[in-house]
Amino acid sequence: MFGKLIEVARQVRRNEGFKNTFSSLARLSLHARQRLNGDYFAIEIRANSGFFSVMQIVLFVLLYCDEKHLTPLISARRGSYGDAQGKIDWLAECFDNVAPFNVPAASRRLRTSFVRDLGQLGFRRYESGLTLERASALFLSNYRPSASIRAEVDGVRQRLGIGASTLGVHFRGTDKKLEAHTIEWDEFCRMVERTLADEPQLTSIFVSSDEQPFLDFFANWGFAVPVRVAPATLLATGEKPVHFSGHPGLAIGREALVACLLLASCGYLMKTPSYLSAWSKIFNPSLPVKLAVPPRQNAFWFPDSQIWAEQQKRAGDMASPDMQAPQSGTPFAETRSTA
């Protein structure tokens, strides 16, 4: 009984309508404060959420600034991935800012607003009509993974032989059942087998997951092609997500980004709903992606919402009502030419 109450509380906390109402006053105050900055929009993210849910905030701030012709000044401190003192901008540790902009004069006073989620910004409206191509072009014109992360990704790719003939597989476990329809491990493995049969150019598998038991099950399934497991060491504890499992913040953020970029390096991606693997499509918009199951209607969020909609359109099938969206090349290729 107590467990059911906790799950209901979690669902309420995740409900966008609830968060929107709760955050309305803070949102009005934030935007009033930012208008005092003129043509700059200065945001510091302090989020206790998944790495790529934070990247969603970054993406939507970029969309807002592009629409309003503002210069975004985005940092990320504290929270799940920063240090307790807030000295390290972990966004700057993971990404280089490649967008040219006018640095504000030292004498100019800019007001920075602190946010923990999209509800404080009111930017969920950008979900409607946002395409993967648009999101990819905008993000990659502003950010690229840092040189050390690109070097790490290239090293793992070469060591494991990840490339165009690799089927990338990502299974998001732990608490994701609250946001996505579930699938049994054996059924998921059979879907992977069918994908290999349909795509004979795929001669190896690269698998990533936050659950060690799933990785063990998958590696022992007996696929007809070699299986290479992502070199992650910081995994979930029971049903607690990785970012709530007591691991060092900067380390788990780096592992998440590396895993996403490795999946983006594959020739095809088979996945369950997850911001992490969905962002592989942002880094590599030409990557073919198949979602094994859809997100739930109350969590039908971009990019997986767009991936699922495009998949359903290709299949020519109508999804069941609870699977419908609510009414309302190579990874970082462009960064290599500038490296």
Side-chain angles (χ1 to χ4, degrees), residues 116-324:
R116 287 181 169 79
D117 56 46
L118 278 172
Q120 290 179 268
L121 292 163
F123 290 169
R124 278 290 183 193
R125 66 182 184 273
Y126 291 116
E127 295 260 2
S128 177
L130 180 59
T131 66
L132 293 159
E133 294 77 10
R134 165 71 172 142
S136 177
L138 182 61
F139 184 83
L140 293 178
S141 67
N142 283 272
Y143 291 101
R144 67 175 175 181
S146 68
S148 65
I149 286 177
R150 298 200 309 273
E152 181 176 346
V153 170
D154 284 342
V156 176
R157 286 176 60 204
Q158 293 177 23
R159 177 163 57 86
L160 298 183
I162 298 171
S165 63
T166 305
L167 171 61
V169 172
H170 183 245
F171 188 92
R172 171 69 160 86
T174 62
D175 66 340
K176 198 63 178 178
K177 62 182 179 291
L178 299 175
E179 298 174 359
H181 293 269
T182 57
I183 183 171
E184 296 297 327
W185 292 356
D186 56 349
E187 175 57 23
F188 184 77
C189 289
R190 284 191 285 271
M191 290 185 73
V192 170
E193 288 182 323
R194 291 194 291 271
T195 301
L196 290 170
D198 292 341
E199 306 289 339
Q201 79 279 8
L202 302 173
T203 57
S204 66
I205 296 172
F206 170 75
V207 61
S208 176
S209 177
D210 57 340
E211 285 192 342
Q212 187 62 52
F214 169 80
L215 291 172
D216 295 338
F217 181 89
F218 190 90
N220 291 321
W221 177 261
F223 292 102
V225 301
V227 175
R228 300 175 176 93
V229 179
T233 59
L234 306 175
L235 301 179
T237 302
E239 291 202 355
K240 288 184 179 178
V242 174
H243 53 283
F244 291 150
S245 295
H247 303 305
L250 287 172
I252 59 174
R254 186 182 182 96
E255 275 202 355
L257 180 54
V258 167
C260 176
L261 294 171
L262 288 170
L263 292 169
S265 301
C266 296
Y268 197 103
L269 176 58
M270 174 84 181
K271 66 190 283 315
T272 58
S274 165
Y275 276 143
L276 185 153
S277 48
W279 266 74
S280 296
K281 188 73 171 173
I282 303 296
F283 290 114
N284 181 6
S286 65
L287 176 69
V289 180
K290 181 188 291 184
L291 263 172
V293 290
R296 296 190 186 278
Q297 186 172 356
N298 65 348
F300 210 91
W301 300 323
F302 185 89
D304 274 332
S305 60
Q306 183 69 18
I307 291 171
W308 180 256
E310 291 184 3
Q311 180 173 311
Q312 292 300 96
K313 184 178 180 181
R314 287 194 303 270
D317 298 325
M318 293 296 292
S320 60
D322 68 329
M323 296 182 184
Q324 296 291 333

